[in-house]
Amino acid sequence: MTTIFRAKRIITMNPSRPEATHVAVRDGRILGAGALPELEGWGPYDLDERLADKVLTPGFVEGHSHASEGAMWRFTYCGFLDRMDPGGKVWPGACSIDAVVERLKEADAKLEAGKPLSGWGLDPIYYENSRRMTRADLDRVSTTRPIGIIHASGHILQVNSKALEMAGMLRTGINHPGVPLDAEGLPLGELKGPDAMTPVSPLVGLDRGLLATDEWGLRQFARLCVRTGVTTATDLANLLEDEAVDMMLRVSGEETFPLRLVSLRVFRNTTVAGLIDHAVRLKKRSTDRLRLGIVKIVADGSIQGFSARLKWPGYYNGAPNGLWYVPPEHLREAFRLALDAGVQIHTHTNGDEATELVLDCIEDALRKYPTPDHRFTLQHCQLADAAQYRRMRKLGMCVNLFPNHHYHWGDQHYALTVGPERAERMNPCATALANGVPMAIHSDAPVTPLGPLFTAWCAVNRRTQSGRVLGEAEKISVADALRTITLGAAYTLKLDGEIGSIETGKRADFAVLEDDPTTIAPENLKDVRVWGTVHGGKVYPAAEA
Amino acid sequence: MVSQHEAPIPVTVVGGYLGAGKTTLVNNLLRAAAGRRLAVLVNEFGALPIDADLIEAQDDRMIAITGGCICCSYGSDLVAALIDMGRRTPKPDQILVETSGVALPGGVASALSIVAGLRLDAVLVLADAETVRERAEDRYTADTITRQLADADIVVLNKTDLLSNEARAERLAWMQTVAPQARILPTSQARVPADVLLLDGPGPVRGTVAATHAHHHVHDAGLHASEAFAIVDTVDADRLARELIDRVAGLVRAKGFVATRAGPVALQIVGRRPVIEPAPETIGTKGRLVVICVGSPVDRATVEAAIAAAR
Ligand SMILES: [Zn+2]
């Protein structure tokens, strides 16, 4: 059965046929794109006119997100910026501590007694005078119910007195950099880092372990993908234990599941050999809509948390260098074993020293196991310099940059973490393209909101929240940005033969847009409206998602 | 007053880079447990690194060890594992935390304070005498190594048997510049006298302390001696600790109770770090102190002089 979709305009990313008005689909795949008469040669068809006034692009590919973004919507949104939930409702930002408290009071009133109240997305860096929240603020919501809010970064938990008391932490004698104390020596209510968060997280309903098997959350994530034009998304750090894989296979196998999920096995709770072996076994369980078998390794921390590994001269404010999250020896071993076994690795590096180490390790591993087209990918890789891009090119690396950072925390990078010069070269998309390094760009949802068009806008405009342009020379064109959020990301996942452009043989995955991203002013790219998606030839309007 | 039952569990942090001998040390201590219920938390996965002859039973994450000890891996969640340990019955007498090769042991030590019912006893950092200098100059690991060593109460300079005498002396001198705050114990096969690291069980120092009691024997870590002292007068505890640390050659540890003008206190010295806390029980005016030295005998006259200086 053939369906031919008519559209106002189809942007194909196929250079020999960059534009079309019709696309023919059979069995979930593309027969061809072109003018109607060209496609009629495929035989009898149904003409689908539902998208006749829409602009189609290849379905967007989010190369670094976490399906836990969906599960976050179980909790009260407390972020500073407006954010759309999976049902399409836009939650206005809570732009002061009082506003957060008011919002939590509303949620508290609707919640059964005894249940913990959980929130997410807090980002106190934006509040007036950067005032930090304390447990006294949350005690205004409740003194009898435990309350916890996870910060936007995911690395800090904000709690009330009741939560501290239940965890046995409302006492003096705690001496830990992640637990700031008040004048009486009691915790202020801000818990930074996994050590400080662990005793309290499960008591406030924010147990990390539960998120991986959260079926409701996965469905919400897929809805968000429809609303943002995404047809393939990564779930970048999952332990992929059997129970989670079984759930994901079942849900993604449903006829009307609108998303192809690429879930990476994160290096945790196993040995290097166990990791690579697990990836090999996972690959065999892959289906069209659940792709398994790639590995994610975290080499260092974050720049705004001062836990990234920086080369000399280090942090602008003089903070000591960050920590290795994995011993360099293990990284070296992992790359060798992975190349030998044909497993792809994506490595989280933020600081330029972490990037340098990965480049050294891959160079070493390639000498032992020469592998053309390995596509090992650097994730975030925010601070890499030009020389490192030249090495990436020679070593066959891909990069997935994080331009959303400029908008969300660019002003802080400029003033505090790395200083003006390096803040301007963070996420240097133009340098990557000029050096021929295959590139994707990402949101790291839920750290920043899922939305490839917004990410593309960030790469095109490089604007901070205060309006500063960080790195004029690293801006890229709208055409390059659109290619990056489709074919670019697909390439880093070794899926560019299947998705990322609208041409014969590929999956019939489209983003369906109300506005034309190539004719709208570049500074308005983020305002392009998404009508929905087509995934495997099925139409998914956002309004019904 | 804190009863014996509620006394916090002492925790020993065992740090050091990959290959420094942390696992060997832990196995040595398990062999020397002598009835103590030790709980060992390791960062490794796969086959837990416990010598086969010590294992009584084992599942995925936990090994039961002959004599009532246990070993489990904590992965990325040390604090959760510590909370679990504190809830076990019977409670462990002491917990040993083997850190990951790139962790800063000081960071691990401060995490202990997050869990109620634990107290830090000692931070031990092992170093492979053969490779430590090279690692401390490596562009990627240099600061990790030196920051680890700077966190130590006691540095175990391991594998010195593989070095010539000159190299050994050079390494020792270098280590003193990198970890001036620590006592340094040169050794091989990660052998450290058990009473330097293993405590007498929960609560205060137990057993009879006779002023004449003493034992000496030769260890890999050089001469090892432990002597007890009765202290009849009231002393200034801070001063006593400082005098002992400055004067007594080879002192790695001291523990006991002394009477001060403000009442009785528990006095501990770990490496060069004094810990002075209110005594958990009334000891009257009779103080007693056990002094442990490695590498030289306990010089009684020097200890007595330190006590006299603190009166
Ligand atoms: Zn991420």
Side-chain angles (χ1 to χ4, degrees), chain A residues 364-385:
Chain A
D364 160 87
L366 282 168
R367 210 166 283 133
K368 194 142 195 280
Y369 301 99
T371 308
D373 205 27
H374 53 80
R375 301 194 203 179
F376 278 27
T377 299
L378 290 158
Q379 290 285 351
H380 302 323
C381 193
Q382 296 203 72
L383 210 52
D385 62 28

Side-chain angles (χ1 to χ4, degrees), chain A residues 64-66 236-237 296 348 379-380 402 442-447:
Chain A
H64 184 156
S65 56
H66 302 270
L236 213 76
K296 156 101 176 282
H348 158 128
Q379 290 285 351
H380 302 323
F402 196 178
H442 67 268
S443 68
D444 200 11
V447 175

Side-chain angles (χ1 to χ4, degrees), chain B residues 12-17 19-22 24-26 28-29 122-130 132 148-149 152-160 171-172 174-175 179 181-193 196-197 220-221 252 294:
Chain B
T12 308
V13 176
V14 179
Y17 202 72
K22 300 191 290 290
T24 312
L25 179 105
V26 163
N28 290 347
L29 291 175
V123 175
L124 190 83
V125 177
L126 288 102
D128 178 335
E130 259 202 315
V132 66
Q148 285 179 343
L149 291 167
D153 294 317
I154 298 167
V155 170
V156 175
L157 187 61
N158 196 19
K159 309 189 189 180
T160 53
R171 217 51 48 92
L172 201 55
W174 173 81
M175 188 60 80
Q181 83 296 341
R183 291 288 181 185
I184 298 159
L185 307 184
T187 192
S188 57
Q189 273 91 47
R191 273 192 281 254
V192 176
V196 169
L197 293 174
D220 283 87
V252 284
V294 175

Side-chain angles (χ1 to χ4, degrees), chain A residues 326-356:
Chain A
V326 55
E329 285 83 349
H330 288 178
L331 209 51
R332 207 160 292 145
E333 184 193 0
F335 284 2
R336 287 184 179 190
L337 292 183
L339 286 183
D340 193 27
V343 168
Q344 192 194 11
I345 297 186
H346 286 229
T347 311
H348 158 128
T349 66
N350 260 315
D352 47 1
E353 192 188 42
T355 296
E356 190 86 359

